[in-house]
Amino acid sequence: MKKRTTTQVSREEMEKQAYFSRCIAEKNATFAAGKGRKPVAFVRTFGCQMNEHDSEKIAGMLEMMGFETGTGFEGADLIVINTCCVRENAEEKVFGHLGALKGLKRENPDLIIAVCGCMTEQPHIVEEIRKTYRHVDLVFGTHSLHVMPELLWRVIDGKTRVFEISKTDTEVAENVPVKRNGSVHAWVTIMYGCDNFCTYCIVPYVRGRERSRQPAAIVEEIKGLAEAGYKEVTLLGQNVNSYGKDLPEPVTFAELLDTICENTVIERIRFMTSHPKDISDELIDVMAARPAVCRQLHLPVQSGSTNLLRRMNRHYTREQYLERVRKVREKMPDVALTTDIIVGFPGETEENFEDTLSLVEEVRFDQAYTFIYSRRVGTPAAAYPDQVPDDVVKDRFERLLALQNRISREINDGFLGATVDVLCDGLSKTNSERYTGRTEGNKIVNFTASKDHTGETVKVKIDSVQTWSLEGAAVED
Ligand code: 5AD
Ligand code: SF4
């Protein structure tokens, strides 16, 4: 098979987008002069960190076009819904919102409604929006993100509905403007797409084949972030361990991490998601050797049953997963481990499920993100005949949750009285008298302090613990 090589979207194409962005900015300036305010754009995001970061790019492009960032649907002149389709409930929520937006469009016919992201890479969803949600003006998929200025211009100038679902998945776009949500932590996409085709998962169909960014572009971005005062980055990809295989000059993920550590002064580096089949000794060694790389690993196991893992097309056995965990802990005894688990995959027997429970007991994850299996049209598992009845799945899900909650709580109990280093993100969103931040192991810590430590690493003494977070007070105030 011919090796596929990833290329960059051409400079001409990006200049063309900058041109359309200026066209919209001119229209928006006229709007602002007439109304005494800038037009407001509100972006609503569903799904994973990759989508959150895509929305930061959408917000960056909209800012260049002269939009003000809105905080809700009401009063917005442009609404962008960035969708997720990994599970059915995410899709249902989007359709719920789309239905509700009909009224807003009736009140304000000039309102522009755009839907993008993973859902809109599926032809049957695009058809449903086209036919049933006629108040939606613009639909574009994940591969068309960087051409949003042109698409939006076609809606504004042509006063027409636009549907753009490109299937080009051999390119990556650089230099898309970004409006970041935080000032301490930043997301950095290092690769797009996924080639794994786990049998339950829709991602490879909607995000396309794996495409890596050039190491130099990633290093430049992180350098810029460090200069702007950011302290922590999370490198994003569906399977970061296969980073670089598609580059004209292949690079491993471990090499990329080393290069980032050598060439930037960023204090903390995290990454997600790692596939257990691809996590190399080389990577574990770099993690252990580099102080900037956080000793924290998200390693989705999905199931503790080798039989089920085979049916999921995961390419590792229970024993191989446990061996990787052992290796990681041998090199980094204090590593924090998190995972994803699916309950109720077709054909899951009580015995298979008990294998998952026993694996969870054995590994003792700091946290597990647990999901009820959701049938996704077009994936192989959707056609498997032995779907598990809802009541059985629900019962298993609750048993797993109870077990993991007990373990997370026990691990957190071990922090009582300890002093931990916390990178402060700012004031807590739920309690304006407390600050919030994260440990190297990515545990959330809410704490009191006599002054604002945003962007600093603070020593915090833990005085109480919850299942999901730690509480305490800064000691070197
Ligand atoms: N049903 C339930 N969970 C799923 N995930 C992916 N696809 C599905 C599905 N069809 C979960 C996996 C993955 C996480 C991001 O979402 O656990 O690791
Ligand atoms: Fe989906 Fe598997 Fe790819 Fe993760 S590795 S995005 S679960 S196909």
Side-chain angles (χ1 to χ4, degrees):
M1 200 170 72
K2 192 172 167 293
K3 181 177 177 292
R4 284 182 332 105
T5 314
T6 300
T7 52
Q8 270 187 28
V9 175
S10 69
R11 185 198 294 246
E12 292 73 33
E13 178 61 49
M14 295 311 285
E15 278 169 5
K16 191 168 113 198
Q17 296 310 317
Y19 164 77
F20 287 114
S21 180
R22 285 194 299 276
C23 293
I24 298 175
E26 264 176 40
K27 282 235 178 209
N28 282 347
T30 313
F31 175 104
K35 300 229 175 184
R37 65 165 180 89
K38 282 183 171 183
V40 175
F42 175 60
V43 185
R44 175 77 162 87
T45 312
F46 291 88
C48 64
Q49 291 81 2
M50 189 73 86
N51 255 22
E52 262 179 49
H53 186 41
D54 279 351
S55 286
E56 291 182 332
K57 292 181 187 166
I58 293 170
M61 288 188 272
L62 293 173
E63 192 172 52
M64 295 280 275
M65 296 174 206
F67 287 96
E68 188 122 52
T69 307
T71 52
F73 292 125
E74 287 293 327
D77 300 289
L78 167 65
I79 290 170
V80 182
I81 302 191
N82 189 8
T83 62
C84 166
C85 60
V86 80
R87 282 170 293 275
E88 194 177 1
N89 54 3
E91 289 193 344
E92 282 165 358
K93 274 191 216 150
V94 168
F95 281 125
H97 279 306
L98 288 185
L101 288 178
K102 207 170 183 170
L104 275 187
K105 180 84 168 192
R106 212 176 293 126
E107 282 166 29
N108 174 15
D110 292 335
L111 168 66
I112 295 175
I113 301 175
V115 186
C116 64
C118 292
M119 256 173 98
T120 51
E121 282 289 340
Q122 303 174 95
H124 70 281
I125 298 278
V126 175
E127 265 326 285
E128 186 163 353
I129 297 177
R130 195 195 296 272
K131 288 208 195 99
T132 318
Y133 298 88
R134 303 198 57 82
H135 53 294
V136 172
D137 303 283
L138 170 59
V139 173
F140 60 100
T142 55
H143 304 310
S144 311
L145 188 77
H146 62 284
V147 296
M148 189 180 89
E150 179 176 356
L151 303 176
L152 195 54
W153 178 251
R154 276 166 49 196
V155 173
I156 293 172
D157 195 50
K159 303 211 171 354
T160 168
R161 299 177 86 196
V162 172
F163 292 79
E164 172 84 11
I165 311 302
S166 139
K167 283 285 166 219
T168 314
D169 64 356
T170 54
E171 290 183 330
V172 296
E174 290 295 345
N175 304 317
V176 175
V178 185
K179 185 171 191 290
R180 296 187 186 270
N181 290 328
S183 61
V184 178
H185 168 269
W187 307 111
V188 175
T189 304
I190 61 163
M191 63 186 298
Y192 303 84
C194 180
D195 286 353
N196 285 313
F197 292 94
C198 302
T199 53
Y200 50 81
C201 187
I202 193 81
V203 169
Y205 306 90
V206 296
R207 288 266 176 188
R209 300 288 60 75
E210 287 173 358
R211 280 107 63 212
S212 305
R213 291 178 66 197
Q214 286 287 345
I218 297 167
V219 167
E220 276 315 299
E221 181 173 351
I222 297 174
K223 270 188 183 165
L225 287 166
E227 274 163 26
Y230 285 87
K231 299 293 188 304
E232 180 178 311
V233 293
T234 302
L235 311 178
L236 293 177
Q238 310 298 342
N239 174 14
V240 292
N241 306 103
S242 56
Y243 170 82
K245 288 181 186 156
D246 55 313
L247 289 172
E249 286 173 43
V251 177
T252 66
F253 179 56
E255 285 165 349
L256 175 73
L257 269 185
D258 249 343
T259 309
I260 295 171
C261 292
E262 280 299 321
N263 294 288
T264 77
V265 294
I266 201 81
E267 284 177 25
R268 282 182 174 181
I269 304 167
R270 304 185 192 279
F271 52 87
M272 67 189 301
T273 293
S274 293
H275 196 304
K277 78 177 163 63
D278 292 322
I279 182 157
S280 63
D281 288 352
E282 185 198 10
L283 173 63
I284 299 171
D285 288 342
V286 172
M287 281 182 81
R290 293 286 190 180
V293 181
C294 293
R295 292 175 172 225
Q296 176 246 317
L297 194 61
H298 184 60
L299 201 58
V301 66
Q302 313 298 1
S303 166
S305 150
T306 296
N307 181 17
L308 231 57
L309 288 168
R310 194 179 319 112
R311 288 167 52 104
M312 289 176 165
N313 195 31
R314 293 289 289 176
H315 294 282
Y316 54 86
T317 61
R318 171 193 177 94
E319 289 69 31
Q320 283 165 337
Y321 184 88
L322 290 172
E323 190 281 326
R324 288 288 82 190
V325 168
R326 191 193 53 71
K327 184 79 192 224
V328 169
R329 285 199 166 135
E330 179 190 302
K331 298 273 171 166
M332 296 172 284
D334 52 348
V335 71
L337 283 179
T338 56
T339 199
D340 292 343
I341 299 171
I342 297 177
V343 179
F345 183 79
E348 183 188 69
T349 61
E350 176 61 23
E351 197 186 339
N352 297 152
F353 176 66
E354 281 170 14
D355 283 345
T356 298
L357 292 180
S358 72
L359 182 133
V360 166
E361 281 277 15
E362 192 169 337
V363 177
R364 291 181 67 80
F365 295 104
D366 287 78
Q367 244 184 67
Y369 301 89
T370 49
F371 305 106
I372 287 181
Y373 168 72
S374 172
R375 262 176 104 164
R376 305 286 61 212
V377 175
T379 62
Y384 290 178
D386 38 5
Q387 306 283 328
V388 185
D390 286 353
D391 55 334
V392 176
V393 178
K394 199 160 169 283
D395 173 67
R396 288 181 189 163
F397 183 77
E398 277 161 16
R399 284 155 66 200
L400 176 62
L401 204 63
L403 170 63
Q404 182 56 45
N405 284 352
R406 170 173 66 72
I407 293 170
S408 292
R409 179 62 198 241
E410 282 169 4
I411 293 175
N412 282 356
D413 278 342
F415 283 89
L416 259 183
T419 300
V420 292
D421 286 333
V422 177
L423 174 58
C424 179
D425 284 323
L427 278 174
S428 156
K429 286 200 180 78
T430 49
N431 180 345
S432 62
E433 280 164 23
R434 288 171 92 76
Y435 290 91
T436 186
R438 286 176 189 259
T439 63
E440 180 178 345
N442 215 18
K443 288 201 187 295
I444 297 172
V445 182
N446 299 309
F447 61 99
T448 54
S450 62
K451 60 175 194 274
D452 187 353
H453 290 286
T454 303
E456 293 168 19
T457 301
V458 201
K459 293 213 176 298
V460 175
K461 184 152 195 251
I462 303 304
D463 53 33
S464 75
V465 304
Q466 321 270 335
T467 308
W468 305 110
S469 62
L470 310 174
E471 315 281 322
V475 288
E476 284 172 3
D477 237 353

